[in-house]
Amino acid sequence: MIRPDIFTETATALKTIYDNQLPQLRQLKDWQSKYRILMTLGKELPAFDSEWHRDEFLVQGCESKAWLLHYQDPVTNQHFWAFDSDARIVKGLIILLLVQLNGLKAEELAHAKPELLLSELQLQQNISQSRSNGLQAVLNKIKAVM
Amino acid sequence: MNFNLSALRQQFPFFSAHPDWIYLDNAATLHKPQVVLDAMNLFYSQQNSNVHRSAHGLSQQATAAFEAARSTVAQFLNARFSHEIIWTSGTTAGFNQLVFGMMGPVLQPGDRVLISSMEHHANIVPWHIHALPFGVTLDRVPLTADHRFDLTAFEELLKLKPKVVSISHVSNALGHIQPVAEIVRLAKAAGAIVVLDGAQGIVWETVDVQALDVDFYLFSGHKLYGPTGIGVLYGKTKYLELLRPLLGGGEMIKTVCFSHSSWNDLPYRLEAGTPNMAGAIGLAAAILWLQQQDLTAMQQHKTALVQRFYAGCQQIPALELLSGPTTNAGIVALNLKNEHPADLATLLDQQKIAVRAGTHCAMPLFQALNVKGSVRFSFACYNSFDEVDRTLTALATAVELFAE
Ligand SMILES: Cc1ncc(COP(=O)(O)O)c(C=O)c1O
């Protein structure tokens, strides 16, 4: 069973990151400081039950794994996400995608280009080229709910 | 001869194009000396014509160059005959032809095949596709505690009378050099046909297939300073003659009528379609180049690089080393405790150090080691001690970032 509050807790954490760490990341210039923050973003997220590390939720990258849970609010039609990854940097990058996507409705998702933030922050120039970390696969899966 | 690193390095144009990178992904593919590029360029600009087919003199010229390349490989491996060199597109393609070709003539339902725990998927998946569905059993030699080939267990497993023993010459994930002479001797004494996956081994040491008495030896051009898309399946004539062709089409046939075709002689029987002519010529150029180098000095240099890097890694306590520094062809695989190898590789990539992270097409090995994967540093003759030292500094920087 997936406890429904994982989605509200994740949403709160993503909001915190959007308000606090994201502005910091935008200001930093050197890669070390940026990665230092990126690698700790995952700590903000609520605990992800290990029983959710199931194949049905798995998005397989070549090197790392990510698990993605989805919930659509029946009243507002918003899409909410909870997730985990076994690699810290990938987890941080997914967070930076989801701070932009969490809670969007299908029509908003269709137009979203969350990957632009990663190139703006110079964290990942082109996510479609790096099939290996699975980021594109995560994005495809999110967009596939539409 | 002595070893002049800067003169050697200057022969590789890739490095002048990327002076700020340190390339330690040599087990994935090697860079090419200028002579290889020149040979291919010469082929396309002056010799290009389809081989074996046309009556005109230009085709005969191309055919001569192409067959000379085959002879170069045959001499390099000390094969008895040129026709024992089958061109493939690489080790993977060679294994698929080999395994498919053995089904029936060599392998029957109920037969066993023995591989090791550190095989590349190229020496696993073709068996899964072509052999297991027909009732062949795949056994594997376990690892010793220090992640080496377990010869004692191997001798036990040989008592199961495998028809084929197929082992990597050098492990692509760990760099460990397998005791191939022992393996071939024991396997042959047990009556097996012996296959060696030379993808990583051929660049480490000269292989004399007759002295080694190995039945099949496979490798890829691009891991021998040659081009991509070309590889070699060496086989003893009597075994190559048994293989059923995987690919049918032009050049591999003697006669075709509507309902039946009879096959051509070796090597053409196993080389359907227009071959990778420029690739073959480029590979031959790479071999001729390699034969002009001081191979012993190259080996010593690579060993020194590995040992220096290994010793440096030992100074970083959070690292877990999966490879050993001796009997090693140039690879150090490691992990940072409790961290994902992909993360460590990303932080090295930020510092322009090219390494590979993951399971290196050897998933069963990592299942046996019970780790997610590794970061693999693979060294080549053109790497320098300075690069080793800068990589160690970068590694320390990355490790510090995790510690916070
Ligand atoms: C030991 C080993 N076998 C087989 C292969 C497959 O070679 P290729 O991809 O050139 O077909 C490789 C390459 O990674 C290898 O290292």
Side-chain angles (χ1 to χ4, degrees), chain B residues 121-190:
Chain B
H121 294 164
N123 186 19
I124 303 176
V125 184
W127 300 108
H128 290 173
I129 293 177
H130 298 300
L132 300 199
F134 301 99
V136 169
T137 305
L138 198 57
D139 298 308
R140 74 171 155 170
V141 183
L143 295 170
T144 60
D146 55 352
H147 310 159
R148 306 257 170 189
F149 186 87
D150 188 336
L151 267 176
T152 318
F154 178 57
E155 288 201 70
E156 272 312 299
L157 284 161
L158 285 176
K159 293 185 184 150
L160 297 173
K161 291 282 164 210
K163 274 264 181 70
V164 178
V165 169
S166 185
I167 309 284
S168 49
H169 181 171
V170 166
S171 153
N172 72 305
L174 300 170
H176 294 164
I177 305 163
Q178 321 272 38
V180 284
E182 269 305 88
I183 290 171
V184 175
R185 194 181 60 75
L186 291 167
K188 302 224 70 152

Side-chain angles (χ1 to χ4, degrees), chain B residues 53 142 160 176-177 208 328 386 391:
Chain B
R53 297 190 179 183
L160 297 173
H176 294 164
I177 305 163
D208 179 332
N328 183 317
D386 178 54
T391 302

Side-chain angles (χ1 to χ4, degrees), chain B residues 251-334:
Chain B
E251 206 56 55
M252 53 78 64
I253 36 71
K254 219 170 234 145
T255 55
V256 181
C257 59
F258 181 65
S259 61
H260 177 78
S261 46
S262 70
W263 300 334
N264 204 343
D265 298 328
L266 290 172
Y268 313 112
R269 195 160 67 76
L270 299 172
E271 293 179 352
T274 297
N276 183 354
M277 304 176 282
I281 283 161
L283 175 53
I287 289 171
L288 294 174
W289 173 83
L290 190 63
Q291 287 175 328
Q292 284 162 13
Q293 312 302 313
D294 183 340
L295 291 174
T296 313
M298 265 188 180
Q299 263 190 9
Q300 287 166 349
H301 178 64
K302 273 197 263 185
T303 301
L305 292 169
V306 163
Q307 296 193 341
R308 188 182 183 100
F309 183 68
Y310 193 91
C313 289
Q314 284 179 314
Q315 303 303 312
I316 305 174
L319 295 181
E320 296 172 325
L321 291 149
L322 300 176
S323 308
T326 54
T327 330
N328 183 317
I331 294 175
V332 177
L334 56 80

Side-chain angles (χ1 to χ4, degrees), chain A residues 31 35-36 63 88-89, chain B residues 339-340 343 350 402 404:
Chain A
W31 72 271
Y35 272 88
R36 198 171 280 135
E63 291 162 3
R88 276 214 241 175
I89 293 175
Chain B
E339 299 295 347
H340 198 288
D343 285 340
Q350 283 298 314
F402 281 99
E404 296 183 18

Side-chain angles (χ1 to χ4, degrees), chain B residues 187-250:
Chain B
K188 302 224 70 152
I193 292 176
V194 190
V195 181
L196 289 180
D197 173 353
Q200 300 291 342
I202 191 71
V203 68
W204 169 249
E205 60 190 342
T206 312
V207 173
D208 179 332
V209 289
Q210 290 190 71
L212 196 56
D213 197 25
V214 64
D215 300 314
F216 291 101
Y217 192 93
L218 303 93
F219 66 91
S220 301
H222 70 101
K223 293 179 198 280
L224 191 65
Y225 310 101
T228 47
I230 189 79
V232 168
L233 165 62
Y234 158 82
K236 282 187 188 153
T237 304
K238 63 173 173 180
Y239 292 124
L240 281 176
E241 274 173 347
L242 294 177
L243 298 185
R244 293 173 62 231
L246 171 62
L247 300 178

